[in-house]
């Protein structure tokens, strides 16, 4: 029932807590559908999660926008010599390639980092999904570098990679929403580490937010 509750929550513009797995990052992200993001959502993620606030998009949308993964951009950059290219991350310690692309601000933002600015950037990024010419709209409406990192989900989502990027985008697809999410890791200011599952479950219960475990979502995907 948790997946069904998560789908309902996303459709209502509310949060979902998403845990990848204990054998991976073992982190919990706050997730909200991009089309519903408001400054209040951004403020809450900043205050209650505290990790890096990113916008995650589906792989097909990334291709339409002409976006590439940052590790590929840097690998092919003439500005990086062979020694500098040794810095480029291949596989992360948890076994996956990072999904980071460029970072962006919408052109109507000022600094780009305020709650209003980041909410605007994420919503306008989501609106590209239904644009007549998403590539043209993207390059004319956004600036880089900016304050919202873009994450591109792997092709085939959970069949290829099982990170928060893919899981959150998959949940929006289940909810018949545009495949764009705002996600932010939940940190613990007492331990200076990622928030534990136990504390995240407590937060979820106190705030009536569905908590989805990655294993549960993968099993759901196998059935459905």
């Amino acid at each position: 029932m948790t997946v069904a509750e998560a789908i309902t929550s996303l459709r209502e513009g509310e949060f979902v807590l998403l845990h990848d797995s204990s054998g991976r990052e073992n982190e919990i992200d706050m997730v909200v559908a991009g089309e519903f993001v408001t400054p209040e959502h951004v403020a809450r993620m900043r205050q209650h999660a505290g990790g890096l606030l990113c916008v995650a998009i589906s792989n097909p949308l990334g291709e339409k926008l002409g976006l590439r993964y940052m590790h590929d951009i840097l690998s092919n950059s003439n500005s990086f010599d062979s020694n500098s290219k040794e810095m480029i991350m291949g596989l992360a310690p948890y076994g996956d390639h990072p999904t980071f692309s460029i970072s962006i601000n919408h052109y109507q933002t000022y600094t780009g980092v305020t709650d209003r600015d980041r909410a605007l950037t994420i919503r306008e990024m989501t609106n590209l999904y239904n644009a007549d010419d998403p590539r043209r709209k993207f390059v004319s409406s956004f600036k880089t570098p900016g304050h919202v990192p873009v994450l591109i989900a792997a092709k085939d989502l959970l069949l290829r990679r099982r990170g928060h990027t893919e899981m959150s985008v998959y949940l929006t697809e289940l909810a018949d929403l545009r495949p764009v999410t705002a996600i932010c890791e939940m940190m613990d200011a007492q331990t200076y580490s990622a928030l534990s599952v136990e504390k995240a479950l407590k937060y979820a219960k106190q705030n009536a937010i569905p908590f989805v475990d990655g294993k549960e979502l993968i099993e759901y995907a196998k059935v459905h």
Side-chain angles (χ1 to χ4, degrees):
M1 289 299 294
T2 307
V3 174
E5 291 169 356
I7 291 169
T8 298
S9 188
L10 289 175
R11 286 174 176 167
E12 294 176 350
E14 301 295 339
F15 283 110
V16 169
L17 300 192
L18 180 58
H19 177 229
D20 57 347
S21 74
S22 57
R24 195 176 174 279
E25 287 184 320
N26 196 25
E27 291 179 354
I28 297 95
D29 280 23
M30 290 184 76
V31 176
V32 64
E35 58 200 86
F36 299 123
V37 170
T38 66
E40 182 180 359
H41 286 109
V42 175
R44 190 167 176 185
M45 295 170 93
R46 176 170 54 77
Q47 295 169 344
H48 295 193
L52 188 62
L53 176 56
C54 301
V55 59
I57 65 173
S58 68
N59 197 279
L61 179 56
E63 289 186 349
K64 288 180 181 179
L65 302 182
L67 288 172
R68 299 171 64 192
Y69 292 111
M70 182 54 67
H71 55 266
D72 289 333
I73 295 172
L74 296 175
S75 294
N76 292 292
S77 172
N78 292 328
S79 298
F80 264 41
D81 59 27
S82 58
N83 289 331
S84 298
K85 287 184 178 180
E86 293 179 4
M87 298 171 57
I88 301 170
M89 183 180 292
L91 293 179
Y94 48 83
D96 281 334
H97 282 285
T99 59
F100 284 96
S101 182
I102 61 174
S103 58
I104 56 171
N105 288 341
H106 190 264
Y107 80 97
Q108 291 179 326
T109 64
Y110 187 55
T111 66
V113 76
T114 65
D115 297 336
R116 290 185 186 278
D117 279 358
R118 284 193 279 183
L120 175 63
T121 294
I122 294 166
R123 284 198 314 275
E124 291 300 321
M125 190 70 173
T126 309
N127 289 338
L128 293 174
Y129 184 73
N130 294 328
D132 293 332
D133 188 344
R135 169 66 175 171
R136 181 188 62 79
K137 184 70 173 176
F138 177 64
V139 298
S140 64
S141 300
F142 292 86
K143 303 297 181 183
T144 189
H147 292 82
V148 179
V150 178
L151 310 176
I152 307 173
K155 293 180 180 179
D156 302 320
L157 294 175
L158 303 186
L159 292 175
R160 188 73 61 89
R161 188 176 185 274
R162 296 174 176 179
H164 294 94
T165 305
E166 289 74 24
M167 290 182 180
S168 66
V169 169
Y170 177 59
L171 281 172
T172 59
E173 292 187 350
L174 291 177
D176 293 320
L177 300 171
R178 281 167 271 182
V180 180
T181 61
I183 65 176
C184 186
E185 306 98 339
M186 301 191 79
M187 300 288 106
D188 189 333
Q190 295 179 322
T191 64
Y192 311 115
S193 303
L195 195 70
S196 67
V197 171
E198 291 74 21
K199 288 185 177 181
L201 283 168
K202 182 178 179 180
Y203 177 86
K205 184 176 181 180
Q206 290 174 338
N207 294 275
I209 299 175
F211 182 101
V212 179
D213 184 86
K215 292 180 181 179
E216 180 184 2
L217 190 59
I218 291 167
E219 290 303 315
Y220 184 94
K222 290 178 181 177
V223 175
H224 296 83

